[in-house]
Amino acid sequence: MTLSKGGVPLVGKGRKKRKHYPVSWGSSADKMKMKKRVLCVYDGPRRLWKDDMMLDSEFEVRMRLGDGGDYVTDLDVNTLKRADALHNATEEEKGPWVPEEDVADIQQLMHRCYFSVSFITVGEIMIRNDSTRIDPKRRATIDYKKKQFATPSYQQQNYLHRLNLYHVPPTTEIRLEDFEQWAIDRLRILAEIEACSFRNKTPAETAEHVKPLLDKWLRLDANSSSPQGCADTRLQDQRRKDHYSHFILRLAFSSTEDLRRRFTRVEGSLFRLRFQTENARERQDFVSSLSLDWEAVSDREKHTLAQDLLNATPNLKKSDVEDGGWFKVDFETVPELVETRRIFVKGGKAYVPSKEQMSIVLAGFHARLEQGLELTARALPRLDEDDRLSPILNHLSNNFAIPDSTLADSDTALSGATINASSIDPLSAHFPLCMRNLHMTLRKNNHLKHFGRLQYTLFLKGLGLTMEDCLIFWRQSFKLITDETFNKEYRYNIRHNYGDVGGDAVRRGRGYSPFSCQKILTEHPPGSGESHGCPYRHFSVDNLTSLLQVTGVSDRDVLRGVKEDVEKKRFHIACNRVFEWAHKTEIRQVKDDGTWKAADLDTIVHPNTYFKRSYLLKRGLAGDSGQSQADNMET
């Protein structure tokens, strides 16, 4: 604690004078008035807790000391009170002592990442303690700096069942590349499941839509699919990827309450889908292996309550009551069964028939997942110092709403399409709303500002427009300037976007990739006089409705649905809603013909995918649908 004497003057020498703070900090010298007090709690060399309090000098309350000249602030007093509360806490207030070996700490992972090039251990994020601090009990045994080179004490886990409640974190090492790629593959599935729920698809429609994507990105085969059963290496690899990807996304989505809630919901939907499609015998084996809080109903109790069970449970025969299995659980664990009045409740206990055991298992899955996410959230702040994993996890959490996507070369090829400077106007009928707005603004004003030109140029590049044709297109569009002005101010930027000029990295990468929906939504919001960005996010509801009506969307139900999606910040769902309305006849035809697979009609998350799908549907080229965008998605 330091004593204050009216603040630090703005004149004089000394590196701590406020007038010498860098201008890049973004605050003028007279506004650098924040005071901070840090409170750390230690048990020997082991830091148990760190917290801080900050207060602007404008709002502080000063209390004079005995000398009449010096003072302390209420910030100092409150910090001392908090420290005193820790020192004088009762045993009940302190709670049970947690042994150091069981403390969840992520620093172990950080320490390994700084010295390892390609391997990390996911389990250490969840269950290992900090190796960067010296443990007095082990100091004489092994140097803590060499613990990373010791023989791993973890073993490869054996996955006996296709289903998993994800109760135990994975503990073996994986490559950093797998860490990211496995999480991306699972994120694709979860994003599609959430999109199906936003679009009010039935469970059967969701299962049909997600099945081909699961087979491609997160395949899990049953034990009966292999003569060796669960010992098959292929099955173990599939389940290992599923296990790791779940816990990696736990790290990414445990930071906020909203992310935890959404992650629990979509993971529960994925678990339900897998449980329903599981082989009956293997499903029963999995349920038998669980330690869930339920109690089997005895034959005597079944006989006593037979009539009540028969009356309260729909579609149940008398023989089912006597011969079927029944479980007794707390009624709050099966809210969906209670809500739909499909079970008998007595004395706070719900009597659940064996055919409804999925509700009990799903309730157990949700309870364990919610608890695990809360524990992960407590340990997550210690990962902030890691400069290798934090960017990956932040990127994954940002992409939960809209998965990021890049465009492969195969998506730029369109059979029968002529892409040149003169064909852009007729092709604009197939553009998504963001690009159509840019095209209409360009035709109206004969000019676009920098970010608008960048977004539109890269989109045209993704269509297959060559650099020469792109230069012609922009020169013809900028009618109000001379050739000299165009060559001086705009030509270089277009060539740079195509990778024709610029640094070696730009040229080797053939310029920049077209912007995905995620990039358009999150980067460079439009300012005054700018037209780039996403209209569903950056336009007011009235302006968005007017723009949709100008582009031909007149259906009231569609406009009402778009308004609801925008209010709930489901911008990509609003765009997909408009696409499905504009192409409803063609989509129904290709579904009936079977010429397009479900993966070819998955949720659109890239403007160029919107254009290609629209062009192929309207031109009737269903046989040349090309790869689905799922093949080309990368985060």
Side-chain angles (χ1 to χ4, degrees):
M1 184 190 308
T2 57
L3 300 180
S4 301
K5 298 183 178 180
V8 181
L10 295 179
V11 294
K13 298 182 180 180
R15 62 184 180 87
K16 292 187 177 181
K17 305 305 180 186
R18 289 179 181 144
K19 76 169 193 173
H20 299 304
Y21 287 157
V23 178
S24 61
W25 285 17
S27 259
S28 58
D30 60 332
K31 292 185 179 180
M32 303 290 291
K33 302 182 297 180
M34 293 300 296
K35 292 187 177 180
K36 179 177 180 180
R37 297 293 181 265
V38 179
L39 181 67
C40 293
V41 182
Y42 289 91
D43 174 44
R46 177 186 176 202
R47 191 177 74 187
L48 303 180
W49 181 45
K50 178 182 177 182
D51 196 8
D52 58 67
M53 296 175 64
M54 299 184 68
L55 182 69
D56 192 293
S57 299
E58 249 181 70
F59 306 106
E60 69 181 8
V61 178
R62 300 179 178 181
M63 289 162 282
R64 294 286 179 182
L65 296 179
D67 59 5
D70 299 327
Y71 64 86
V72 294
T73 68
D74 54 337
L75 185 62
D76 302 319
V77 173
N78 278 298
T79 301
L80 287 177
K81 286 182 178 179
R82 297 168 70 202
D84 186 62
L86 288 168
H87 285 297
N88 300 324
T90 64
E91 293 299 324
E92 182 180 359
E93 291 171 337
K94 291 179 181 177
W97 174 254
V98 180
E100 186 171 358
E101 288 76 9
D102 296 336
V103 176
D105 201 331
I106 305 180
Q107 293 294 337
Q108 172 71 11
L109 176 64
M110 298 182 197
H111 186 67
R112 294 179 63 89
C113 283
Y114 289 134
F115 294 95
S116 171
V117 175
S118 39
F119 291 95
I120 62 171
T121 304
V122 177
E124 295 185 17
I125 307 176
M126 300 293 182
I127 62 176
R128 291 296 298 276
N129 61 344
D130 183 7
S131 69
T132 61
R133 305 184 190 114
I134 301 176
D135 183 351
K137 299 177 182 178
R138 300 178 183 175
R139 186 179 297 153
T141 305
I142 184 171
D143 183 354
Y144 74 98
K145 292 183 179 179
K146 298 180 180 178
K147 288 170 70 174
Q148 58 173 322
F149 302 110
T151 303
S153 59
Y154 302 124
Q155 295 182 354
Q156 183 75 31
Q157 288 178 302
N158 187 27
Y159 302 100
L160 301 178
H161 307 285
R162 175 175 175 260
L163 298 172
N164 194 339
L165 287 189
Y166 310 106
H167 185 58
V168 179
T171 53
T172 52
E173 292 182 337
I174 61 172
R175 295 186 307 151
L176 191 62
E177 291 80 4
D178 292 336
F179 180 93
E180 182 176 11
Q181 189 58 50
W182 291 357
I184 291 170
D185 292 345
R186 191 180 194 91
L187 184 59
R188 291 167 176 155
I189 302 299
L190 299 183
E192 283 299 323
I193 291 176
E194 188 174 50
C196 288
S197 68
F198 289 160
R199 294 152 79 179
N200 298 321
K201 289 193 174 184
T202 64
E205 292 173 337
T206 300
E208 180 183 0
H209 178 76
V210 173
K211 186 180 183 303
L213 302 177
L214 280 171
D215 292 340
K216 180 160 190 168
W217 302 115
L218 206 61
R219 187 180 185 89
L220 282 181
D221 293 323
N223 292 339
S224 57
S225 65
S226 172
Q228 302 174 14
C230 63
D232 191 333
T233 305
R234 175 177 58 86
L235 298 184
Q236 289 293 315
D237 290 342
Q238 290 177 353
R239 296 168 187 181
R240 182 167 171 256
K241 176 182 178 180
D242 175 70
H243 191 199
Y244 275 80
S245 62
H246 171 86
F247 276 93
I248 294 168
L249 291 187
R250 267 199 199 186
L251 287 173
F253 302 139
S254 61
S255 57
T256 66
E257 180 63 31
D258 178 61
L259 286 176
R260 291 196 294 269
R261 184 174 59 252
R262 291 175 58 198
F263 183 68
T264 302
R265 184 176 64 249
V266 293
E267 277 286 346
S269 299
L270 177 59
F271 181 82
R272 179 196 293 271
L273 177 62
R274 287 174 169 172
F275 192 89
Q276 291 174 332
T277 57
E278 179 64 294
N279 177 282
R281 192 181 78 176
E282 294 185 17
R283 179 172 58 209
Q284 192 58 44
D285 291 342
F286 170 72
V287 173
S288 302
S289 68
L290 303 178
S291 300
L292 296 177
D293 186 18
W294 58 21
E295 178 186 350
V297 180
S298 63
D299 293 337
R300 182 177 180 180
E301 191 174 6
K302 278 194 296 185
H303 181 73
T304 305
L305 300 174
Q307 191 59 41
D308 292 329
L309 295 175
L310 184 63
N311 294 336
T313 310
N315 302 323
L316 196 68
K317 300 178 182 178
K318 189 173 182 180
S319 58
D320 296 332
V321 176
E322 298 174 355
D323 301 334
W326 289 80
F327 303 97
K328 187 164 54 174
V329 298
D330 294 333
F331 77 92
E332 62 265 20
T333 62
V334 284
E336 59 178 12
L337 297 180
V338 176
E339 180 184 6
T340 55
R341 300 186 178 184
R342 287 152 51 192
I343 54 174
F344 174 64
V345 179
K346 181 181 180 181
K349 296 291 184 180
Y351 291 77
V352 184
S354 57
K355 68 176 184 178
E356 299 286 0
Q357 67 181 0
M358 183 185 72
S359 297
I360 304 177
V361 177
L362 192 61
F365 176 84
H366 278 138
R368 295 189 182 191
L369 180 55
E370 289 171 358
Q371 183 182 17
L373 286 171
E374 289 179 3
L375 293 175
T376 305
R378 296 177 189 174
L380 196 60
R382 299 190 182 107
L383 191 62
D384 291 341
E385 299 174 11
D386 183 15
D387 59 353
R388 297 179 65 188
L389 291 188
S390 292
I392 297 176
L393 297 176
N394 292 335
H395 195 56
L396 289 171
S397 62
N398 290 335
N399 291 344
F400 195 18
I402 303 176
D404 204 355
S405 171
T406 57
L407 203 68
D409 292 338
S410 59
D411 258 6
T412 63
L414 285 175
S415 299
T418 302
I419 309 293
N420 54 41
S422 60
S423 64
I424 300 302
D425 283 329
L427 289 176
S428 65
H430 304 289
F431 288 0
L433 193 62
C434 54
M435 301 304 168
R436 200 161 182 183
N437 176 57
L438 286 172
H439 185 78
M440 293 166 59
T441 304
L442 177 62
R443 288 292 178 251
K444 178 182 178 181
N445 301 333
N446 299 313
H447 186 266
L448 285 177
K449 291 194 174 183
H450 171 72
F451 285 114
R453 295 195 307 272
L454 177 62
Q455 180 176 318
Y456 196 34
T457 298
L458 295 179
F459 172 75
L460 296 177
K461 176 186 174 184
L463 300 188
L465 188 69
T466 64
M467 186 185 70
E468 291 75 15
D469 280 323
C470 190
L471 288 168
I472 295 173
F473 169 78
W474 283 108
R475 180 63 194 98
Q476 292 175 347
S477 300
F478 286 7
K479 300 177 180 179
L480 305 181
I481 62 174
T482 63
D483 289 342
E484 181 181 358
T485 302
F486 178 82
N487 292 334
K488 181 179 179 181
E489 298 184 8
Y490 303 106
R491 185 182 184 87
Y492 182 88
N493 284 338
I494 298 172
R495 294 176 60 198
H496 187 263
N497 291 335
Y498 275 82
D500 187 52
V501 294
D504 291 339
V506 175
R507 290 198 298 270
R508 283 197 301 268
R510 292 177 296 174
Y512 299 101
S513 300
F515 288 175
S516 65
C517 294
Q518 196 269 343
K519 190 177 183 69
I520 293 173
L521 284 169
T522 57
E523 297 185 9
H524 307 301
S528 176
E530 295 181 314
S531 305
H532 65 280
C534 174
Y536 296 102
R537 175 170 187 174
H538 299 121
F539 278 30
S540 66
V541 174
D542 293 338
N543 290 340
L544 175 61
T545 302
S546 300
L547 180 60
L548 288 171
Q549 291 173 341
V550 168
T551 57
V553 181
S554 56
D555 189 278
R556 291 185 178 181
D557 292 335
V558 174
L559 295 175
R560 188 184 307 111
V562 168
K563 181 180 178 181
E564 293 175 357
D565 291 333
V566 169
E567 290 174 348
K568 296 178 181 178
K569 301 187 182 303
R570 304 194 300 237
F571 309 111
H572 66 303
I573 299 299
C575 186
N576 277 267
R577 186 187 298 274
V578 172
F579 179 89
E580 291 171 357
W581 174 83
H583 303 81
K584 55 181 179 294
T585 304
E586 294 79 8
I587 292 175
R588 188 184 307 113
Q589 179 182 351
V590 296
K591 282 185 175 180
D592 294 341
D593 296 344
T595 50
W596 282 30
K597 300 178 182 178
D600 295 323
L601 294 170
D602 58 355
T603 305
I604 297 174
V605 292
H606 201 293
N608 290 84
T609 303
Y610 186 110
F611 167 78
K612 181 177 181 180
R613 193 175 296 178
S614 173
Y615 182 88
L616 293 177
L617 287 170
K618 289 296 185 181
R619 295 300 178 96
L621 301 178
D624 186 30
S625 62
Q627 277 186 310
S628 81
Q629 66 178 353
D631 294 338
N632 312 307
M633 287 176 60
E634 298 176 4
T635 52

